[in-house]
Amino acid sequence: MYRLLAVLFAATVTLAGCASEPPVQQMGPDGQPLPQVYWIKPSETAQIDYRVLDAVNTLRKAAGAGPLSLNSDLIAAAATHSRDMSVQNRPWHFDSDGSSPVDRVKRTGYPGNFLGEDISETYETEMQTLAAWMGTKGTRDVILDPKAKNMGLAWYQEPNGKIWWTLVTGS
């Protein structure tokens, strides 16, 4: 009996030593914590789309603008651009073939008018990206445009975790 208790005690002590420590937060040269990479799982696509749509519509309501609806054509235009920005390794509004946001939206067959496009190159979440867009007049104006009726949101995440976000609005 004592032998069994001794073996169980030794096993418990050994396993307790295997418990992992919580990860240590890495600090940058400015003494601030370095951001953690935000990894998007393929199964989270719809959740992210609707989370951003809900947040955008809340912001629009507060600004006196009507709600937006997700539109598959605008999502396709945004997805094409997010991937192309990654290929070019620069955040800008023109594709590598020289096409503009208007051209991308027309190619999808979207029946309305293109109104605006917000883009971002970041490691941040969709909510942090939306907050950054709301912090700048030009990108905020795209989100709050009272003429907008539809929205497309897409992203491309590189293997290193960098995310290329695109939000497109249309009437």
Side-chain angles (χ1 to χ4, degrees), residues 37-84:
V37 174
Y38 174 59
W39 291 104
I40 300 173
K41 298 176 189 142
S43 62
E44 295 175 316
T45 298
Q47 295 168 348
I48 290 171
D49 287 347
Y50 286 104
R51 195 164 38 240
V52 172
L53 179 65
D54 288 345
V56 164
N57 283 336
T58 299
L59 293 165
R60 289 176 60 82
K61 184 176 181 178
L68 300 181
S69 298
L70 288 175
N71 178 277
S72 60
D73 292 333
L74 296 180
I75 292 170
T80 297
H81 192 54
S82 290
R83 177 68 184 206
D84 193 71

Coordinates of all heavy atoms in Angstrom, one line a residue, residues 37-84:
V37 N -0.3 37.9 -33.3 CA -0.8 37.7 -34.7 C -2.2 37.1 -34.5 O -2.5 36.3 -33.7 CB 0.1 36.7 -35.4 CG1 -0.6 36.3 -36.8 CG2 1.4 37.2 -35.7
Y38 N -3.1 37.7 -35.3 CA -4.5 37.3 -35.3 C -4.7 36.3 -36.4 O -4.7 36.7 -37.6 CB -5.4 38.5 -35.5 CG -6.9 38.3 -35.7 CD1 -7.6 37.6 -34.7 CD2 -7.5 38.7 -36.8 CE1 -9.0 37.4 -34.8 CE2 -8.9 38.5 -37.0 CZ -9.6 37.9 -36.0 OH -11.0 37.6 -36.1
W39 N -4.9 35.1 -36.1 CA -5.1 34.0 -37.1 C -6.5 33.8 -37.4 O -7.3 33.6 -36.5 CB -4.4 32.7 -36.7 CG -2.9 32.8 -36.6 CD1 -2.1 32.9 -35.5 CD2 -2.0 32.8 -37.8 NE1 -0.8 33.1 -35.9 CE2 -0.7 33.0 -37.3 CE3 -2.2 32.8 -39.1 CZ2 0.4 33.0 -38.1 CZ3 -1.1 32.8 -40.0 CH2 0.2 33.0 -39.4
I40 N -6.9 33.9 -38.7 CA -8.3 33.7 -39.1 C -8.4 32.2 -39.6 O -7.7 31.8 -40.5 CB -8.7 34.6 -40.2 CG1 -8.6 36.1 -39.7 CG2 -10.1 34.4 -40.6 CD1 -8.8 37.1 -40.8
K41 N -9.4 31.5 -39.0 CA -9.7 30.1 -39.4 C -10.7 30.2 -40.6 O -11.6 31.1 -40.6 CB -10.3 29.3 -38.3 CG -9.3 29.2 -37.1 CD -10.0 28.5 -36.0 CE -9.1 28.6 -34.7 NZ -9.9 28.7 -33.5
P42 N -10.6 29.3 -41.5 CA -11.5 29.3 -42.7 C -13.0 29.3 -42.2 O -13.9 29.8 -42.8 CB -11.2 28.1 -43.5 CG -9.7 27.8 -43.1 CD -9.6 28.3 -41.7
S43 N -13.3 28.6 -41.1 CA -14.6 28.5 -40.6 C -15.2 29.8 -40.1 O -16.4 29.9 -39.8 CB -14.7 27.4 -39.6 OG -13.9 27.7 -38.4
E44 N -14.3 30.8 -39.9 CA -14.8 32.1 -39.3 C -15.2 33.1 -40.3 O -15.6 34.2 -39.9 CB -13.6 32.7 -38.5 CG -13.2 31.8 -37.3 CD -12.0 32.4 -36.5 OE1 -11.1 32.8 -37.2 OE2 -12.1 32.4 -35.3
T45 N -15.2 32.8 -41.6 CA -15.5 33.8 -42.6 C -16.9 34.4 -42.4 O -17.0 35.7 -42.4 CB -15.5 33.1 -44.0 OG1 -14.1 32.7 -44.2 CG2 -15.8 34.1 -45.1
A46 N -17.9 33.7 -42.3 CA -19.3 34.2 -42.1 C -19.4 35.0 -40.8 O -20.0 36.1 -40.8 CB -20.3 33.1 -42.2
Q47 N -18.8 34.5 -39.8 CA -18.8 35.2 -38.5 C -18.2 36.6 -38.6 O -18.7 37.6 -38.1 CB -18.1 34.4 -37.4 CG -18.8 33.1 -37.1 CD -17.9 32.2 -36.2 OE1 -16.7 32.5 -36.0 NE2 -18.5 31.2 -35.7
I48 N -17.1 36.7 -39.3 CA -16.4 38.0 -39.4 C -17.2 38.9 -40.3 O -17.4 40.1 -40.0 CB -14.9 37.7 -40.0 CG1 -14.1 37.1 -38.9 CG2 -14.3 39.1 -40.5 CD1 -12.7 36.6 -39.5
D49 N -17.7 38.4 -41.4 CA -18.6 39.2 -42.3 C -19.7 39.9 -41.5 O -20.0 41.1 -41.6 CB -19.1 38.4 -43.4 CG -18.1 38.1 -44.5 OD1 -17.0 38.6 -44.5 OD2 -18.4 37.2 -45.3
Y50 N -20.4 39.0 -40.7 CA -21.6 39.6 -40.0 C -21.2 40.4 -38.8 O -21.9 41.3 -38.5 CB -22.6 38.4 -39.7 CG -23.3 38.0 -40.9 CD1 -23.0 36.8 -41.5 CD2 -24.3 38.7 -41.5 CE1 -23.6 36.4 -42.7 CE2 -25.0 38.3 -42.6 CZ -24.6 37.2 -43.2 OH -25.3 36.8 -44.4
R51 N -20.1 40.1 -38.2 CA -19.6 40.9 -37.1 C -19.3 42.3 -37.5 O -19.7 43.3 -36.9 CB -18.4 40.2 -36.4 CG -18.0 40.8 -35.1 CD -17.1 39.9 -34.3 NE -16.1 39.2 -35.0 CZ -16.0 37.8 -35.0 NH1 -16.8 37.1 -34.4 NH2 -14.9 37.3 -35.7
V52 N -18.6 42.4 -38.7 CA -18.3 43.7 -39.2 C -19.5 44.4 -39.7 O -19.7 45.6 -39.5 CB -17.2 43.6 -40.4 CG1 -17.0 44.9 -41.1 CG2 -15.9 43.1 -39.8
L53 N -20.4 43.7 -40.4 CA -21.7 44.3 -40.9 C -22.5 44.9 -39.7 O -23.0 46.0 -39.8 CB -22.5 43.3 -41.6 CG -23.8 43.8 -42.2 CD1 -23.7 44.8 -43.2 CD2 -24.7 42.6 -42.7
D54 N -22.6 44.1 -38.6 CA -23.3 44.6 -37.5 C -22.7 45.9 -36.9 O -23.4 46.8 -36.5 CB -23.4 43.5 -36.4 CG -24.4 42.4 -36.7 OD1 -25.2 42.6 -37.7 OD2 -24.3 41.3 -36.1
A55 N -21.3 45.8 -36.8 CA -20.6 47.0 -36.3 C -20.8 48.2 -37.2 O -21.0 49.3 -36.7 CB -19.1 46.7 -36.1
V56 N -20.7 48.0 -38.5 CA -20.8 49.1 -39.4 C -22.2 49.7 -39.3 O -22.4 50.9 -39.3 CB -20.5 48.6 -40.9 CG1 -21.0 49.6 -41.9 CG2 -19.0 48.4 -41.1
N57 N -23.2 48.8 -39.3 CA -24.6 49.3 -39.2 C -24.9 50.0 -37.9 O -25.7 51.0 -37.9 CB -25.6 48.1 -39.4 CG -25.7 47.8 -40.9 OD1 -25.4 48.6 -41.8 ND2 -26.1 46.6 -41.2
T58 N -24.3 49.6 -36.8 CA -24.4 50.3 -35.6 C -23.8 51.7 -35.7 O -24.4 52.7 -35.3 CB -23.7 49.6 -34.4 OG1 -24.4 48.3 -34.3 CG2 -23.8 50.3 -33.1
L59 N -22.6 51.8 -36.3 CA -22.0 53.1 -36.5 C -22.8 54.0 -37.5 O -23.0 55.2 -37.2 CB -20.6 52.9 -37.1 CG -19.5 52.3 -36.2 CD1 -18.3 51.8 -37.0 CD2 -19.1 53.2 -35.1
R60 N -23.4 53.4 -38.5 CA -24.2 54.1 -39.5 C -25.4 54.7 -38.8 O -25.9 55.8 -39.0 CB -24.5 53.3 -40.7 CG -23.3 53.0 -41.6 CD -23.6 52.1 -42.7 NE -24.7 52.6 -43.6 CZ -24.5 53.4 -44.6 NH1 -23.3 53.9 -44.8 NH2 -25.6 53.9 -45.3
K61 N -26.1 53.8 -38.0 CA -27.3 54.2 -37.3 C -27.0 55.5 -36.4 O -27.8 56.4 -36.4 CB -27.8 53.1 -36.4 CG -29.1 53.4 -35.8 CD -29.7 52.2 -35.0 CE -31.0 52.6 -34.4 NZ -31.6 51.4 -33.7
A62 N -25.9 55.4 -35.7 CA -25.5 56.5 -34.8 C -25.2 57.8 -35.6 O -25.4 58.9 -35.1 CB -24.2 56.2 -34.0
A63 N -24.8 57.6 -36.9 CA -24.6 58.8 -37.7 C -25.8 59.2 -38.6 O -25.7 60.1 -39.4 CB -23.4 58.5 -38.7
G64 N -26.9 58.5 -38.4 CA -28.1 58.8 -39.1 C -28.2 58.3 -40.5 O -29.0 58.7 -41.3
A65 N -27.4 57.3 -40.8 CA -27.4 56.6 -42.1 C -28.1 55.3 -42.0 O -28.2 54.7 -41.0 CB -26.0 56.4 -42.6
G66 N -28.7 54.8 -43.1 CA -29.4 53.6 -43.2 C -28.4 52.4 -43.1 O -27.2 52.5 -43.4
P67 N -29.0 51.2 -42.9 CA -28.2 50.0 -42.8 C -27.7 49.5 -44.1 O -28.3 49.8 -45.2 CB -29.1 49.0 -42.1 CG -30.5 49.4 -42.6 CD -30.4 50.9 -42.6
L68 N -26.6 48.8 -44.1 CA -26.0 48.1 -45.3 C -26.4 46.7 -45.3 O -26.6 46.1 -44.2 CB -24.5 48.3 -45.4 CG -23.9 49.7 -45.4 CD1 -22.4 49.6 -45.5 CD2 -24.5 50.5 -46.5
S69 N -26.4 46.1 -46.5 CA -26.5 44.6 -46.6 C -25.3 44.1 -47.3 O -24.7 44.7 -48.1 CB -27.7 44.3 -47.5 OG -28.9 44.8 -47.0
L70 N -24.9 42.8 -46.9 CA -23.8 42.2 -47.6 C -24.2 41.9 -49.0 O -25.4 41.5 -49.3 CB -23.4 40.9 -46.9 CG -22.6 41.1 -45.6 CD1 -22.4 39.8 -44.9 CD2 -21.3 41.9 -45.8
N71 N -23.3 42.0 -50.0 CA -23.6 41.8 -51.4 C -22.5 40.9 -51.9 O -21.3 41.2 -51.8 CB -23.7 43.1 -52.2 CG -23.9 42.9 -53.6 OD1 -23.0 42.6 -54.4 ND2 -25.2 42.9 -54.0
S72 N -22.9 39.8 -52.5 CA -21.9 38.8 -53.0 C -21.0 39.4 -54.1 O -19.8 39.0 -54.2 CB -22.5 37.5 -53.5 OG -23.4 37.8 -54.6
D73 N -21.5 40.3 -55.0 CA -20.6 40.9 -56.0 C -19.6 41.7 -55.4 O -18.4 41.7 -55.8 CB -21.5 41.7 -57.0 CG -22.4 40.9 -57.8 OD1 -22.1 39.7 -58.1 OD2 -23.5 41.4 -58.3
L74 N -20.0 42.5 -54.4 CA -19.0 43.4 -53.7 C -18.0 42.6 -52.9 O -16.8 43.0 -52.8 CB -19.7 44.5 -52.9 CG -20.6 45.5 -53.6 CD1 -21.2 46.4 -52.7 CD2 -19.8 46.2 -54.7
I75 N -18.4 41.5 -52.3 CA -17.5 40.6 -51.6 C -16.5 40.0 -52.6 O -15.3 40.0 -52.3 CB -18.3 39.5 -50.9 CG1 -19.1 40.0 -49.7 CG2 -17.3 38.4 -50.4 CD1 -20.1 39.1 -49.1
A76 N -16.9 39.7 -53.8 CA -16.0 39.1 -54.8 C -15.0 40.2 -55.2 O -13.8 39.9 -55.4 CB -16.8 38.6 -56.0
A77 N -15.4 41.4 -55.4 CA -14.5 42.5 -55.8 C -13.5 42.7 -54.7 O -12.3 42.9 -54.9 CB -15.3 43.8 -56.1
A78 N -14.0 42.7 -53.4 CA -13.1 42.9 -52.3 C -12.1 41.8 -52.2 O -10.9 42.0 -51.9 CB -13.9 43.1 -51.0
A79 N -12.5 40.5 -52.4 CA -11.6 39.4 -52.3 C -10.6 39.4 -53.3 O -9.4 39.1 -53.0 CB -12.5 38.1 -52.4
T80 N -10.9 39.8 -54.5 CA -10.0 39.9 -55.6 C -8.9 40.9 -55.3 O -7.7 40.7 -55.5 CB -10.7 40.3 -56.9 OG1 -11.6 39.3 -57.3 CG2 -9.7 40.6 -58.1
H81 N -9.3 42.0 -54.7 CA -8.4 43.1 -54.4 C -7.5 42.7 -53.2 O -6.3 43.0 -53.2 CB -9.1 44.4 -54.2 CG -8.1 45.6 -54.1 ND1 -7.2 45.8 -55.1 CD2 -7.8 46.5 -53.2 CE1 -6.5 46.8 -54.8 NE2 -6.8 47.3 -53.7
S82 N -8.0 42.1 -52.2 CA -7.2 41.7 -51.0 C -6.1 40.8 -51.5 O -4.9 41.0 -51.1 CB -8.1 41.0 -50.0 OG -8.9 41.9 -49.4
R83 N -6.4 39.8 -52.3 CA -5.4 38.9 -52.8 C -4.3 39.6 -53.7 O -3.1 39.4 -53.5 CB -6.1 37.8 -53.6 CG -5.1 36.8 -54.2 CD -4.4 35.9 -53.2 NE -3.5 35.1 -53.8 CZ -3.1 33.9 -53.3 NH1 -3.6 33.5 -52.2 NH2 -2.3 33.2 -53.9
D84 N -4.8 40.5 -54.5 CA -3.9 41.2 -55.4 C -3.0 42.2 -54.6 O -1.8 42.3 -55.0 CB -4.7 42.0 -56.4 CG -3.8 42.5 -57.6 OD1 -3.3 41.7 -58.4 OD2 -3.5 43.7 -57.6

